[in-house]
Amino acid sequence: MNRRDLTSSILAASCIAALQGCALDTPETEDSALGSQEQAELAYNPGPGWNLAWSDEFDGTSLNANNWNVLTSNYDPVTNNCNFGTGELEYPRAQNVTVSGGKLVLTAERTSDNPVDSRCTGYGARSFYSGRIHTKGKVERRYGKIVASIKVPSGYGMWPAFWTLGANISSTNPWPGCGEIDILEWHSNDPTWMKSAAHWHNGVQDAHWGTGASGGYSLADSFHTYEVEWTASNMVFRLDGNIVANNTYFHNETEFQQPHYILVNLALGGNWYGDPSPASIDLPWGVRKTMEVEWVRWYQQGSTPSTSLTNPGFESGMTGWSTWSPNGTEAADFSETYNGGHSGAYHLTHWNNAAPFEVWTYQSRSGLASGNYKVRAWVRKGGTFDLARLQAKTCGSCAPVFTEMGTYTNWTLVETPAIYVSGGYLELGFHTRASSGNPANYIHMDDVELIPL
């Protein structure tokens, strides 16, 4: 099952290959020299009206099997095909999919093992190992903002992709009748470009639409955010939050009115590169190249999918909130109106300008469904603290998951890592400690949310 070549009226392009994603080669010349944009982990704000419905922040030491399936050969059991319909040169395996340092890492490396799946013997041995994962059967949704922070590898033959397929895909409903949304594909001939596309079947023949966005810098230099905003009538693609001309696709196809699932993979070679030989791929012996992902998130419009908390904005003082202190200093925890709050008149303050203090402000929830949760809150903070944490724990004496709060001049949204709840119970809130009184010390906290993932 191979894609047909076509000419786009939007961009001169060649569309290739089922199931990996279709990317567009564009004739534009780059106006600026490539430059590095190294940065810390990327923050992201989906904008008003968007709420996080699902995410994987890759905070652990292994891939979350509740979210992802790992492919372990060049045979795809979902579609019953080999080499993913694109003639790719890699053999996916679990060893090349790792999670560490808060990142998902897909690693490509050259091999002389000549791996072959018995179901793909007619296609020849593969020349590289790499990683490929997807959420089919585990995370399937319709519409929303699908976004990830990704650093792609450089070099000829690298084909990193972040994309979706319709959840009804099967060997009896093959591509593109399921629909495909390519959020990111990267080609070494256009290193500044995020290539994006949509594929479907119009009842008569396969149909394709594509676009691209250039940042003016090599996307392989650092992490960038890649996003599609998908509604019942259109798709808007963004690179680092920026809308670029011709990047909106208006649609009414049934393929894009159904749930999709997410795929992330690092391919090598294939028909997008003109089916190059393994020797021509820019991946020397003993060298590894990686596609790194800081997080993947799926936002949806509508009411916040949070679990109800009592008085989350402290508009009713400390109603619903408990305090604990090991040294009798819980008076450092109170609700006040000073400068108002993030969205209301009140907020929580931890502050003691005269003496050391330690206080844990929290509320507990029971009867929670088993699953992963995060805690979010808006925070302002200045001064010096021994610890200042937004945290959650599944029992009073259990070790918490937490985010250590930084210095925030303006109200800033912070969240904890995911915590798995199996017994229905969770404590959540703010734990702070200062070993000396300092009038410059303050933490203001507001609008707390408990988010099921």
Side-chain angles (χ1 to χ4, degrees), residues 41 54 128 141 165-167 272 316 448 453:
E41 180 170 334
W54 172 86
F128 303 90
R141 293 180 175 272
L165 284 170
W272 193 20
S316 299
V448 187
L453 301 181

Side-chain angles (χ1 to χ4, degrees), residues 5 11 16 53 70 82 89 98 153 172 181 197-198 202 270 294 302 414 452:
D5 292 336
L11 296 171
I16 38 243
V70 181
C82 296
L89 299 172
T98 57
T172 57
I181 305 171
N202 64 12
E294 291 182 317
V414 298

Side-chain angles (χ1 to χ4, degrees), residues 137-183:
K138 298 181 177 182
V139 180
E140 299 176 357
R141 293 180 175 272
R142 184 176 70 161
Y143 310 146
K145 283 191 179 186
I146 309 171
V147 59
S149 172
I150 299 173
K151 184 178 181 181
V152 300
S154 63
Y156 179 77
M158 299 298 111
W159 189 353
F162 168 47
W163 50 302
T164 78
L165 284 170
N168 66 348
I169 190 172
S170 66
S171 58
T172 57
N173 181 41
W175 179 95
C178 60
E180 175 181 330
I181 305 171
D182 298 319
I183 306 167

Side-chain angles (χ1 to χ4, degrees), residues 126-441:
R126 302 297 88 196
S127 300
F128 303 90
Y129 287 122
S130 190
R132 184 182 182 103
I133 62 175
H134 65 80
T135 69
K136 182 170 172 54
K138 298 181 177 182
V139 180
E140 299 176 357
R141 293 180 175 272
R142 184 176 70 161
Y143 310 146
K145 283 191 179 186
I146 309 171
V147 59
S149 172
I150 299 173
K151 184 178 181 181
V152 300
S154 63
Y156 179 77
M158 299 298 111
W159 189 353
F162 168 47
W163 50 302
T164 78
L165 284 170
N168 66 348
I169 190 172
S170 66
S171 58
T172 57
N173 181 41
W175 179 95
C178 60
E180 175 181 330
I181 305 171
D182 298 319
I183 306 167
L184 160 71
E185 291 181 284
W186 185 89
H187 195 293
S188 62
N189 289 354
D190 293 306
T192 73
W193 282 78
M194 160 191 171
K195 308 293 184 74
S196 304
H199 308 283
W200 67 99
H201 189 82
N202 64 12
V204 178
Q205 61 184 1
D206 297 349
H208 316 275
W209 174 92
T211 187
S214 174
Y217 40 78
S218 174
L219 300 183
D221 284 346
S222 62
F223 285 91
H224 299 278
T225 58
Y226 303 94
E227 168 188 339
V228 64
E229 182 179 325
W230 168 30
T231 71
S233 59
N234 64 70
M235 300 174 197
V236 180
F237 296 87
R238 296 182 176 92
L239 167 62
D240 290 332
N242 298 316
I243 297 177
V244 180
N246 298 324
N247 76 341
T248 301
Y249 169 56
F250 297 93
H251 68 85
N252 61 3
E253 293 79 25
T254 58
E255 291 90 336
F256 304 123
Q257 312 299 335
Q258 62 149 335
H260 278 222
Y261 65 95
I262 294 173
L263 302 94
V264 181
N265 65 278
L266 176 53
L268 291 93
N271 57 10
W272 193 20
Y273 277 90
D275 295 311
S277 68
S280 67
I281 303 300
D282 183 13
L283 185 55
W285 288 101
V287 173
R288 293 183 167 194
K289 290 192 175 181
T290 60
M291 177 183 182
E292 301 177 48
V293 185
E294 291 182 317
W295 43 261
V296 180
R297 298 171 185 167
W298 200 321
Y299 297 86
Q300 292 185 317
Q301 289 181 310
S303 59
T304 303
S306 60
T307 298
S308 177
L309 298 178
T310 302
N311 189 27
F314 304 94
E315 300 302 302
S316 299
M318 297 300 295
T319 300
W321 294 91
S322 300
T323 59
W324 170 87
S325 172
N327 51 17
T329 56
E330 55 267 35
D333 160 6
F334 54 95
S335 179
E336 64 175 352
T337 61
Y338 178 73
N339 286 341
H342 169 252
S343 61
Y346 289 81
H347 60 256
L348 172 68
T349 292
H350 282 192
W351 178 65
N352 189 331
N353 68 343
F357 75 91
E358 180 175 359
V359 62
W360 165 228
T361 302
Y362 68 97
Q363 59 179 273
S364 59
R365 281 291 171 268
S366 58
L368 295 175
S370 295
N372 288 307
Y373 293 79
K374 284 189 176 185
V375 181
R376 290 200 188 98
W378 289 86
V379 177
R380 290 180 66 235
K381 175 176 170 287
T384 302
F385 291 80
D386 300 325
L387 62 84
R389 296 173 175 174
L390 175 65
Q391 69 179 41
K393 53 185 178 176
T394 54
C395 72
S397 59
C398 294
V401 301
F402 61 87
T403 293
E404 199 75 52
M405 292 180 281
T407 296
Y408 311 115
T409 302
N410 299 312
W411 285 103
T412 301
L413 186 64
V414 298
E415 64 179 23
T416 66
I419 184 169
Y420 186 76
V421 175
S422 59
Y425 179 84
L426 193 67
E427 289 183 14
L428 59 108
F430 305 93
H431 187 186
T432 66
R433 182 176 66 228
S435 56
S436 61
N438 184 343
N441 285 357

Side-chain angles (χ1 to χ4, degrees), residues 61 137 241:
T61 58

Side-chain angles (χ1 to χ4, degrees), residues 55-67:
S55 74
D56 197 325
E57 308 293 319
F58 305 111
D59 292 322
T61 58
S62 61
L63 192 68
N64 187 342
N66 293 320
N67 293 338

